[in-house]
Amino acid sequence: MESKDNVAREDSAASDSSSFPSSSLSAMSSSSETQVNGVLCREDVAFAMSAAEEDCAGCSSDPVVVTEQQAFVTAASTPPGSPSFWPSGCGQRFKLLIEGDIQLCRLDHTRTVVSKIMNSKYLRRWESHHLNLGNSEIFSTTPHGFMENVISYSSIVDINKISRWDAGHKFCFRITITDGSLLLQAASSYLRDQWLHSIHWKQQISKHGKLLRNTRRMDVLIKEIRQMVDLSLTTPIQDETVHQFPLELVSFLLQKNGDGIGPGDQEQIITALAPLLEKTSPTQHMCDFFSKHCKKNPRSKLILELFTPVVHRILKHNMDFGKYPRMRTFVQEYIQALSTQNDGIEAVKNFVRSMHGIGSQCPHPRVLPNLVAVCLSTIYSCYEDKKSLLTSPMNTREVEMSELDHRLIIYISILQTTSEFDDWRLQIASILQPIPFPDDALLHELFIQHMTPLLSNIGSDKRCDSHATVLAVRDGKEGWFELYCPGGIACYDDGELHCVMLHRLMACCCRRKKFLQSKFKMINPWQLLALRENAAAMDALCAVLEFDISENPDHRMQIVTTLQSTPLGKKMYTDLCERLSLLEELQQKGGPHKLTLPTKSTDADLSKLLSSGSFGNLECLSLAFTQVTSSCAHDLIKLPSLRYLNLWSTQLISEHMHKLQVLNLCETPVTDKGLSYLSSLKSLRKLNLNSTHLSALTFEGLKEKLPSLQECDIRYTDAW
């Protein structure tokens, strides 16, 4: 008995398993003794003790040291079906291994003296294999020796990490199967843990997959889904399939048994999947499932609590609804369900505002294009449905038409809400410039009326890149500016929106002869609006007279009569006449032919100088090395005889001095956009663009549009 107790004490001191939670290891004390035909063989016990001591001799002070004798334990691990396990304090992440090279050996669990001798480290044989982790089994690309037969995941009883079996073999772990153990040795501790967690992940998803595919009871099904989601969220494995596999498996089950799942069970399944859906997008079949839930239960509490984060993620990360049309349908059904809440359309607007965030810039560039794509798709489908309803019975047609109109209002309000934000307004203006709506929508009064606030936000924006998008995208095609003009197909507001657009355009970038000539057909509608005392229309008519747009005297007289028919128009026409007569007077009075402004002169100095006397005959003006800017352009255009202008190293350029013959812009910060305005200076003979931002393309355009140009200095530019 004394010898037996000593063996047990030594086994206990040498054995410290690093396996994950498992059953008691009390069987190890008896495994140190070998009985043959019921008689204790002391020589065999001594041999086993000697082998165990030698195995432990090279061990360091690692907290986990597993002896060779522990490999003989068959019932010392977690049975299949127990909760998943992970090492404590595992903050490290591992990429999922599918295949790789590793060394392994196999141990039998039979308790005979011969098997113990063969399994000792002196006779242990290691083999090198290239293992593959399949969907249901582990196999070797060279099936021989220990891996002649595949190892199915269902036969794995336990997976243990082992610090070291002896001094020569480090970084080992053990796979316990029904008839023995596999010892696997990796090249590093990280690679060992990567293999261990990859095999365990494959084992667990194989187990859950079989259970979910074969389970018919809903309570068991929901329980397994929860466990599978928890496994995906806690595993150290980092791979896109970790979060996708549970969703794909549930999608398969929903596709197979979707119609037989009750509303209560549907909510439990959605609740179980919610944590996973915050990290990855739902599959196409799952989007179908969610869409049906939104349609059948629009006021369900899950709509706001669980679906909102899912829709947020879709809109932030989706790249192409064309590849995932069911995802777009789910977003549409979610928005429709959102509109049935107590706040109605206001709830939808708040949702859009939450997508933008509280900052001045939306941090997610994909949100707006995705929202617009959903809106345009819905608007198109609404008008397709309206066409199909024309053949339906009259008693149901009105109700369904009313529902479609309500849906239209919802999605137009989404577009309108996006235009409330400065950063989004530029993008939505650019997207809507080609008028991407069906023709039926442009003839629908309800659609046009609800689009008016959106287009008003765009047309009244002070930024040229925004309000210029109300014009046609190219010549020969109508834009919003033309559609909302009195007499246009979209004008249901007596031209109010058109006047908002016209006011902003005339105040910014379109008070030019070319623009007014292109809109010559709108002069008659502008006269109508001027008769109704619209200031923007009167301003446009005054510009038509100022730039001599109409050569017909009768037409000009009609414009004058229109302006004089209202007090405001009469005043604006009087101011125009005074301005034109002043120009004629300046030209008649004479004055100096040449003038050079002192260096460091400012806009105020130039304005004061030109207002102090007569400069009607001034032909040559030098503003070189002064501090004048484009703000003084209104003073320069009052010089009718100006032909030579030197702007060397200034910040000024003007397009209204049509008689100019010599222009010096050397070392000015003028850009291609500013230089493009020089195309109206048809009398220009000499041009100095030395050391400017002139590009080759702009230079070629200027040469074509300036027929009188004889000399042009382009040194030290991109066109040189």
Side-chain angles (χ1 to χ4, degrees):
M1 285 298 296
E2 183 178 355
S3 175
K4 184 175 181 179
D5 292 339
N6 290 337
V7 172
R9 283 194 297 271
E10 290 183 25
D11 285 347
S12 177
S15 303
D16 187 9
S17 174
S18 66
S19 64
F20 303 116
S22 59
S23 59
S24 174
L25 301 180
S26 59
M28 292 175 57
S29 59
S30 60
S31 68
S32 302
E33 304 173 356
T34 307
Q35 291 184 352
V36 180
N37 297 326
V39 181
L40 184 65
C41 182
R42 296 184 179 273
E43 292 81 6
D44 294 338
V45 172
F47 179 86
M49 289 175 56
S50 174
E53 290 172 356
E54 290 177 0
D55 282 344
C56 295
C59 296
S60 62
S61 59
D62 291 341
V64 180
V65 179
V66 180
T67 65
E68 194 173 272
Q69 291 175 334
Q70 287 174 282
F72 304 142
V73 182
T74 59
S77 54
T78 307
S82 298
S84 61
F85 48 78
W86 303 112
S88 59
C90 181
Q92 203 170 22
R93 311 295 288 180
F94 304 94
K95 183 180 178 181
L96 180 64
L97 274 177
I98 303 299
E99 59 178 330
D101 295 321
I102 197 168
Q103 285 190 321
L104 60 86
C105 73
R106 186 158 184 162
L107 305 177
D108 293 329
H109 285 180
T110 54
R111 299 185 178 183
T112 64
V113 176
V114 175
S115 65
K116 280 196 171 187
I117 295 174
M118 295 302 296
N119 287 332
S120 67
K121 72 175 184 178
Y122 300 105
L123 301 178
R124 190 181 304 146
R125 179 168 56 90
W126 292 85
E127 296 179 352
S128 296
H129 284 271
H130 186 83
L131 296 187
N132 288 74
L133 305 185
N135 293 327
S136 59
E137 59 193 14
I138 303 174
F139 62 93
S140 174
T141 55
T142 55
H144 67 276
F146 297 141
M147 291 301 298
E148 184 176 358
N149 298 319
V150 300
I151 300 174
S152 64
Y153 295 124
S154 58
S155 66
I156 296 178
V157 178
D158 193 13
I159 307 174
N160 297 330
K161 181 170 68 174
I162 301 171
S163 65
R164 177 162 62 193
W165 283 75
D166 57 48
H169 295 91
K170 302 179 181 179
F171 316 126
C172 295
F173 67 97
R174 178 182 61 186
I175 299 177
T176 304
I177 54 180
T178 53
D179 58 346
S181 295
L182 273 179
L183 304 183
L184 294 94
Q185 181 180 230
S188 65
S189 60
Y190 179 86
L191 194 59
R192 173 197 62 194
D193 294 345
Q194 189 178 12
W195 273 104
L196 186 145
H197 293 302
S198 297
I199 294 173
H200 185 268
W201 167 253
K202 286 284 190 176
Q203 178 199 18
Q204 291 298 312
I205 63 174
S206 175
K207 182 192 74 172
H208 286 294
K210 289 180 180 178
L211 288 173
L212 287 173
R213 288 187 178 92
N214 298 323
T215 299
R216 296 184 178 180
R217 291 175 51 187
M218 286 306 304
D219 56 338
V220 177
L221 182 69
I222 294 171
K223 180 181 177 182
E224 286 297 323
I225 291 175
R226 288 198 183 104
Q227 290 184 359
M228 187 168 54
V229 169
D230 290 340
L231 176 70
S232 298
L233 295 175
T234 57
T235 176
I237 293 297
Q238 195 168 21
D239 192 82
E240 60 180 9
T241 61
V242 169
H243 294 149
Q244 280 298 119
F245 173 78
L247 297 181
E248 291 174 356
L249 185 56
V250 174
S251 296
F252 169 78
L253 298 174
L254 295 176
Q255 186 180 7
K256 182 179 178 182
N257 306 315
D259 296 334
I261 302 176
D265 294 331
Q266 287 182 9
E267 293 193 358
Q268 290 191 57
I269 292 175
I270 294 171
T271 304
L273 293 173
L276 204 57
L277 292 172
E278 294 180 4
K279 298 182 178 294
T280 187
S281 299
T283 63
Q284 295 297 288
H285 293 298
M286 197 166 292
C287 286
D288 278 345
F289 177 65
F290 292 164
S291 299
K292 291 177 183 178
H293 186 81
C294 290
K295 203 167 186 176
K296 293 180 180 178
N297 309 283
R299 296 182 65 85
S300 170
K301 64 179 182 179
L302 298 183
I303 301 295
L304 293 176
E305 295 178 1
L306 301 183
F307 283 172
T308 299
V310 180
V311 175
H312 271 247
R313 179 177 177 82
I314 291 174
L315 293 176
K316 289 176 182 177
H317 299 284
N318 179 64
M319 298 300 292
D320 187 3
F321 277 127
K323 294 182 179 179
Y324 310 105
R326 299 178 186 178
M327 199 174 288
R328 178 178 57 203
T329 303
F330 167 52
V331 176
Q332 291 171 335
E333 293 298 339
Y334 166 80
I335 292 174
Q336 190 66 24
L338 203 61
S339 67
T340 64
Q341 305 299 317
N342 294 335
D343 294 338
I345 294 180
E346 193 60 32
V348 178
K349 292 182 177 180
N350 290 333
F351 164 74
V352 176
R353 295 183 184 113
S354 69
M355 291 299 307
H356 181 277
I358 60 176
S360 60
Q361 296 284 334
C362 178
H364 304 285
R366 291 300 311 168
V367 170
L368 181 64
N370 284 334
L371 274 175
V372 174
V374 170
C375 292
L376 294 181
S377 174
T378 306
I379 291 172
Y380 266 89
S381 64
C382 283
Y383 284 100
E384 290 295 327
D385 293 342
K386 280 178 174 287
K387 289 181 181 179
S388 62
L389 286 177
L390 296 177
T391 58
S392 62
M394 184 64 69
N395 56 349
T396 60
R397 185 188 307 173
E398 292 185 1
V399 176
E400 293 179 355
M401 284 286 190
S402 177
E403 292 178 354
L404 290 175
D405 287 342
H406 179 67
R407 176 168 285 202
L408 279 174
I409 294 172
I410 292 171
Y411 286 92
I412 296 174
S413 68
I414 292 177
L415 295 176
Q416 178 188 341
T417 306
T418 61
S419 68
E420 296 176 358
F421 302 96
D422 289 342
D423 59 326
W424 276 2
R425 194 180 305 128
L426 287 174
Q427 298 182 56
I428 192 69
S430 177
I431 293 173
L432 297 184
Q433 185 178 14
I435 313 181
F437 298 106
D439 294 337
D440 293 341
L442 303 178
L443 298 173
H444 189 194
E445 184 176 355
L446 180 140
F447 175 83
I448 293 299
Q449 288 177 349
H450 283 83
M451 283 290 293
T452 300
L454 165 63
L455 296 173
S456 179
N457 290 341
I458 295 174
S460 60
D461 193 303
K462 294 183 179 180
R463 293 169 294 183
C464 188
D465 290 341
S466 177
H467 63 246
T469 58
V470 301
L471 300 174
V473 69
R474 63 178 181 272
D475 294 338
K477 183 176 176 62
E478 291 187 336
W480 295 110
F481 185 67
E482 289 79 11
L483 293 182
Y484 278 85
C485 179
I489 62 174
C491 185
Y492 292 95
D493 59 352
D494 294 329
E496 290 184 10
L497 178 58
H498 179 80
C499 291
V500 171
M501 298 175 181
L502 179 61
H503 170 72
R504 178 48 56 195
L505 291 171
M506 293 298 293
C508 180
C509 55
C510 291
R511 196 178 185 86
R512 298 200 303 270
K513 187 173 183 177
K514 183 179 179 181
F515 169 75
L516 294 171
Q517 286 176 335
S518 67
K519 306 303 176 189
F520 185 80
K521 294 181 179 179
M522 293 186 179
I523 293 179
N524 287 337
W526 291 348
Q527 288 181 256
L528 176 62
L529 293 171
L531 288 173
R532 297 172 182 173
E533 301 187 1
N534 186 276
M538 296 177 189
D539 185 34
L541 292 177
C542 288
V544 170
L545 293 175
E546 183 179 359
F547 291 109
D548 293 329
I549 302 301
S550 177
E551 298 178 355
N552 189 334
D554 293 337
H555 197 196
R556 291 174 61 86
M557 186 57 65
Q558 185 179 355
I559 294 174
V560 172
T561 304
T562 301
L563 289 171
Q564 291 181 333
S565 62
T566 60
L568 179 60
K570 190 173 184 178
K571 181 180 181 302
M572 295 177 71
Y573 177 67
T574 302
D575 293 341
L576 173 63
C577 292
E578 291 179 356
R579 190 162 63 249
L580 293 176
S581 63
L582 180 60
L583 289 175
E584 294 178 1
E585 183 180 353
L586 285 173
Q587 190 170 11
Q588 293 173 359
K589 283 184 178 180
H593 292 276
K594 295 183 179 182
L595 178 64
T596 299
L597 208 64
T599 58
K600 307 297 182 181
S601 297
T602 63
D603 292 337
D605 298 328
L606 177 62
S607 179
K608 186 175 181 179
L609 177 64
L610 295 179
S611 63
S612 63
S614 175
F615 293 93
N617 289 336
L618 186 64
E619 296 181 353
C620 180
L621 176 61
S622 176
L623 302 177
F625 304 102
T626 62
Q627 297 179 359
V628 297
T629 66
S630 296
S631 299
C632 70
H634 65 280
D635 294 313
L636 295 180
I637 63 176
K638 297 176 183 178
L639 303 173
S641 302
L642 188 64
R643 287 173 173 77
Y644 304 92
L645 181 61
N646 187 353
L647 299 177
W648 191 339
S649 191
T650 65
Q651 300 182 17
L652 183 144
I653 186 170
S654 178
E655 60 167 325
H656 299 283
M657 296 169 284
H658 302 291
K659 296 183 180 180
L660 204 62
Q661 296 181 0
V662 179
L663 179 60
N664 187 347
L665 298 176
C666 181
E667 297 184 10
T668 59
V670 64
T671 62
D672 281 347
K673 183 177 180 181
L675 291 172
S676 63
Y677 295 139
L678 298 180
S679 59
S680 61
L681 306 180
K682 303 299 182 182
S683 301
L684 198 63
R685 294 185 296 106
K686 293 184 179 181
L687 179 61
N688 188 349
L689 299 177
N690 190 315
S691 304
T692 63
H693 298 290
L694 174 70
S695 67
L697 183 63
T698 302
F699 178 57
E700 294 297 326
L702 285 176
K703 288 195 298 184
E704 294 178 0
K705 296 177 182 179
L706 298 176
S708 303
L709 189 63
Q710 300 174 0
E711 181 181 335
C712 185
D713 186 355
I714 59 170
R715 290 175 296 172
Y716 307 109
T717 66
D718 291 340
W720 189 27

